[in-house]
């Protein structure tokens, strides 16, 4: 049964979808806390990220059903993965450059990267870091410069900062002014979103 939707809501959905970024994504790497995952999805929605990749091999899939920011989950597509090599190959096949957060000697600050290019950023458990099998496949590391005693942000805060950096670059380049999805893809997405 189709749900009734107001013209005002349709217009809002159309506007949001026209600004969604098809070629900017996050890989959520074994982050077990559903509050953190929900907060990451909320930032994705805020900055126009169309979808994320959930990579879970040693943590339980996050239960997002009853969380405070869980409403964002219905607006963000989620792809589940358990094979690192397959996921990385799939993203690279889509022309994505893949980065991971970290603090090695070769890590570069977030401002050094051009986020107008198709990009996927791996966000990992802040205590354990990137899963070893992913780290082997993704050498490029990104970090957020910090001026205090603490060495890392909470993962959901880090996601928001990285996505804001990407947003400012893409917005300055006019990438939110034209849809990144094809007309056919947009029509399909509208049909899905109108019933949510």
């Amino acid at each position: 049964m189709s749900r009734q939707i107001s013209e005002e809501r349709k217009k809002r959905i159309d506007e949001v979808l026209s600004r969604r970024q098809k070629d900017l994504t996050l890989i959520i790497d074994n982050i077990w806390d559903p509050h953190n995952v929900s907060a990451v999805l909320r930032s994705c929605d805020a900055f126009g990220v169309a979808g994320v990749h959930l990579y879970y091999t040693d943590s339980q899939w996050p239960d997002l059903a009853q969380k405070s920011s869980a409403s964002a989950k219905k607006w963000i597509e989620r792809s589940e993965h358990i094979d690192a090599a397959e996921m990385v190959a799939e993203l690279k096949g889509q022309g994505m450059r893949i980065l991971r957060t970290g603090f090695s000697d070769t890590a570069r600050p977030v401002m050094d990267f051009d986020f107008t290019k198709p990009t996927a950023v791996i966000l990992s458990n802040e205590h354990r870091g990137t899963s070893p099998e992913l780290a082997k496949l993704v050498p490029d590391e990104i970090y957020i410069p910090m001026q205090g005693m603490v060495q890392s942000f909470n993962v959901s805060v880090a996601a928001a900062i990285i996505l804001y950096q990407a947003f400012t670059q893409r917005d300055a380049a006019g990438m939110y002014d034209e849809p990144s999805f094809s007309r056919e893809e947009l029509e399909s997405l509208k049909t899905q979103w109108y019933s949510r």
Side-chain angles (χ1 to χ4, degrees):
M1 186 170 99
S2 64
R3 185 174 163 240
Q4 288 290 80
I5 181 171
S6 70
E7 286 304 312
E8 187 179 341
R9 185 164 174 83
K10 268 189 181 181
K11 185 180 176 191
R12 174 74 179 143
I13 285 172
D14 293 356
E15 287 172 356
V16 168
L17 281 172
S18 74
R19 294 173 65 81
R20 278 296 199 246
Q21 302 293 294
K22 182 180 177 179
D23 62 351
L24 176 64
T25 189
L26 299 178
I27 298 165
I28 298 172
D29 169 26
N30 286 300
I31 298 170
W32 64 269
D33 185 343
H35 290 93
N36 277 336
V37 177
S38 289
V40 169
L41 295 181
R42 190 172 207 151
S43 291
C44 288
D45 180 59
F47 294 117
V49 173
V52 300
H53 298 266
L54 303 174
Y55 177 74
Y56 280 74
T57 54
D58 59 14
S59 295
Q60 187 176 345
W61 296 99
D63 174 16
L64 305 174
Q66 304 300 323
K67 308 307 167 203
S68 61
S69 34
S71 61
K73 76 172 186 170
K74 72 179 178 178
W75 307 116
I76 304 297
E77 298 302 316
R78 297 177 309 283
S79 303
E80 297 180 354
H81 305 270
I82 56 171
D83 185 310
E86 192 175 277
M87 177 181 68
V88 167
E90 178 186 318
L91 289 167
K92 285 186 175 176
Q94 295 168 15
M96 293 275 192
R97 172 191 53 183
I98 307 175
L99 309 171
R100 62 185 171 97
T101 51
F103 297 99
S104 76
D105 292 342
T106 58
R108 291 162 47 206
V110 65
M111 305 84 72
D112 280 11
F113 290 88
D114 179 359
F115 286 100
T116 64
K117 295 178 179 175
T119 305
V121 180
I122 300 170
L123 294 170
S124 304
N125 182 297
E126 57 198 281
H127 303 295
R128 293 178 304 183
T130 307
S131 296
E133 66 279 10
L134 269 179
K136 283 179 191 171
L137 297 166
V138 180
D140 292 330
E141 277 182 297
I142 182 174
Y143 73 91
I144 300 164
M146 299 179 67
Q147 313 309 310
M149 297 292 290
V150 180
Q151 287 193 327
S152 68
F153 286 103
N154 169 279
V155 68
S156 65
V157 175
I161 292 170
I162 292 166
L163 290 178
Y164 182 70
Q165 178 70 27
F167 166 76
T168 56
Q169 291 183 21
R170 285 173 171 245
D171 191 46
M175 295 177 72
Y176 288 86
D177 299 335
E178 294 292 330
S180 66
F181 287 100
S182 69
R183 185 175 298 168
E184 293 76 19
E185 288 170 327
L186 275 178
E187 289 308 313
S188 174
L189 286 167
K190 285 177 187 179
T191 302
Q192 296 170 43
W193 281 37
Y194 291 165
S195 63
R196 289 180 184 174

